[in-house]
Amino acid sequence: MDQPKLERLLRLMKMLTANTTYNVDQLAERLDMSRRTVYRYIDTFREAGFVIKKTGDCIRIDKQSPHFRDISQLVHFTEEEAMILKSAIENIDDTNLLKQNLKRKLYSVYDNKVLADTVVRGKNAPNIRRLVEAIEQQRQVILHGYRSAHGGEVRDRRVEPFAFTTNYVQVWCYDPESGTSKLFKTARIGSVETTDIPWEHPEAHREGFIDAFRMHGERRIRVRLELGLLASNLLCEEYPLAERDLKPIRRGRWLLDTEVAGMAGIGRFVVGLLDDIRIVDSPELTEYLRAYLQKHTIG
């Protein structure tokens, strides 16, 4: 089987095992195929032993099909896998042909539209799709009824969306009102309206610093911690991106030497493992923990 055909089959399989259901016309449009090709590929899946389920005019691979769980896990990203893969690829030198080939193959299967449908569920899904399309079309949007975390203010925001964080939890947007790029939580958006206005400030689109504990900000604060076995294992499980800054120093002990945007993320992690973590060098974290413990100590 030639590679383009295999890629199309994988993309179709991804959509047929997604949380969102599609009819043949939607599948054909999203995958840039003819209806005839979609039906032919679906017949291929059926001949391979998959049970094809139809609800109304929507089609999907039935969850009772043989090997459904293995296949669905294979073609879907979970948690931070997408971010880790992207980071690994981007770290390859730009002159390396392998980097371009990997990006082309990976993104031909896991394009933003399809990935969003598999990751985002419920009422937030339409907003994510409109943001994805606005980014692709390089257009401004209006975030209707955005609920700000500061003061509980709810109002409309006209912005230029240009990138998402892991699993579409937040979207990077240039905010003409403040003249800066900001993160907006997608769960706080009432609705998204795509405008006919193209991006006016693409040169100012810059993703800010997000640390391994998923906190963001303008500052970069160096933190050095000594971790035991339990803490190091939990760190890698809960915050996979922190592993790149973790080095063994002696038997059963590891050094985390990283930069954080603030103390809240790393502070919450340390508080739960005080017996297995020693602060090597971070006066600001020490002060944060002291104030945190005093505030939450009963009596």
Side-chain angles (χ1 to χ4, degrees):
M1 181 182 296
D2 61 276
Q3 182 174 309
K5 182 176 180 180
L6 178 59
E7 291 175 351
R8 290 194 297 270
L9 279 167
L10 284 172
R11 292 179 64 188
L12 177 58
M13 178 176 286
K14 184 174 179 64
M15 295 185 73
L16 291 176
T17 57
N19 296 310
T20 303
T21 55
Y22 305 91
N23 59 37
V24 172
D25 288 332
Q26 291 170 328
L27 292 169
E29 179 185 355
R30 304 278 178 85
L31 299 174
D32 194 23
M33 298 179 185
S34 67
R35 286 169 52 89
R36 182 177 179 180
T37 299
V38 171
Y39 278 121
R40 188 171 69 249
Y41 285 177
I42 289 174
D43 286 340
T44 299
F45 294 146
R46 186 179 287 111
E47 291 169 3
F50 290 98
V51 177
I52 304 301
K53 186 176 182 179
K54 191 170 183 180
T55 305
D57 61 349
C58 292
I59 301 173
R60 64 178 291 107
I61 293 177
D62 192 274
K63 293 183 179 180
Q64 302 306 314
S65 298
H67 312 300
F68 176 87
R69 179 174 296 180
D70 294 339
I71 292 295
S72 62
Q73 290 178 351
L74 174 66
V75 299
H76 290 179
F77 284 126
T78 59
E79 277 298 307
E80 295 178 327
E81 292 172 348
M83 189 173 182
I84 293 171
L85 283 171
K86 181 178 182 294
S87 176
I89 291 174
E90 293 299 341
N91 283 332
I92 301 174
D93 191 275
D94 286 332
T95 60
N96 193 323
L97 290 177
L98 176 63
K99 176 176 182 175
Q100 302 308 320
N101 288 337
L102 284 171
K103 289 177 68 174
R104 180 180 59 80
K105 291 178 180 179
L106 184 65
Y107 299 156
S108 67
V109 177
Y110 298 104
D111 62 84
N112 267 336
K113 288 183 180 179
V114 179
L115 182 56
D117 288 333
T118 65
V119 172
V120 182
R121 309 176 186 180
K123 63 181 182 180
N124 207 28
N127 287 343
I128 300 300
R129 169 157 288 282
R130 291 189 187 99
L131 287 168
V132 168
E133 292 174 347
I135 292 172
E136 292 179 345
Q137 298 168 9
Q138 299 187 5
R139 295 189 179 279
Q140 294 185 2
V141 302
I142 299 175
L143 307 179
H144 287 290
Y146 183 77
R147 303 185 301 279
S148 173
H150 304 291
E153 183 183 37
V154 179
R155 66 185 180 93
D156 296 348
R157 308 290 292 270
R158 182 175 63 86
V159 297
E160 299 179 0
F162 59 88
F164 289 98
T165 62
T166 305
N167 284 355
Y168 302 87
V169 173
Q170 300 175 98
V171 58
W172 281 107
C173 299
Y174 177 80
D175 180 14
E177 183 178 304
S178 65
T180 60
S181 293
K182 296 180 177 180
L183 272 176
F184 292 84
K185 285 188 176 295
T186 54
R188 294 177 181 164
I189 301 172
S191 63
V192 176
E193 176 189 344
T194 305
T195 73
D196 293 329
I197 304 172
W199 287 348
E200 296 175 343
H201 309 276
E203 72 287 347
H205 294 183
R206 287 185 291 274
E207 296 180 39
F209 172 55
I210 301 179
D211 64 30
F213 297 87
R214 308 185 188 101
M215 306 299 291
H216 76 280
E218 298 296 325
R219 301 176 63 196
R220 287 176 177 260
I221 311 162
R222 188 181 182 191
V223 173
R224 299 174 73 227
L225 305 176
E226 182 179 321
L227 284 68
L229 179 61
L230 174 61
S232 63
N233 285 342
L234 289 175
L235 177 71
C236 294
E237 291 172 5
E238 296 179 17
Y239 304 101
L241 296 182
E243 188 172 359
R244 63 192 174 193
D245 297 327
L246 192 65
K247 301 289 186 291
I249 50 177
R250 60 179 183 273
R251 185 177 179 85
R253 306 298 292 178
W254 284 262
L255 177 68
L256 176 67
D257 190 342
T258 190
E259 290 183 323
V260 296
M263 295 299 128
I266 192 170
R268 285 195 293 266
F269 176 77
V270 173
V271 163
L273 294 159
L274 287 174
D275 292 338
D276 203 38
I277 296 177
R278 181 176 71 86
I279 299 176
V280 176
D281 180 20
S282 180
E284 193 165 338
L285 178 58
T286 300
E287 182 57 35
Y288 175 88
L289 292 174
R290 182 180 293 113
Y292 181 94
L293 293 172
Q294 286 178 350
K295 180 179 179 180
H296 293 86
T297 298
I298 299 176

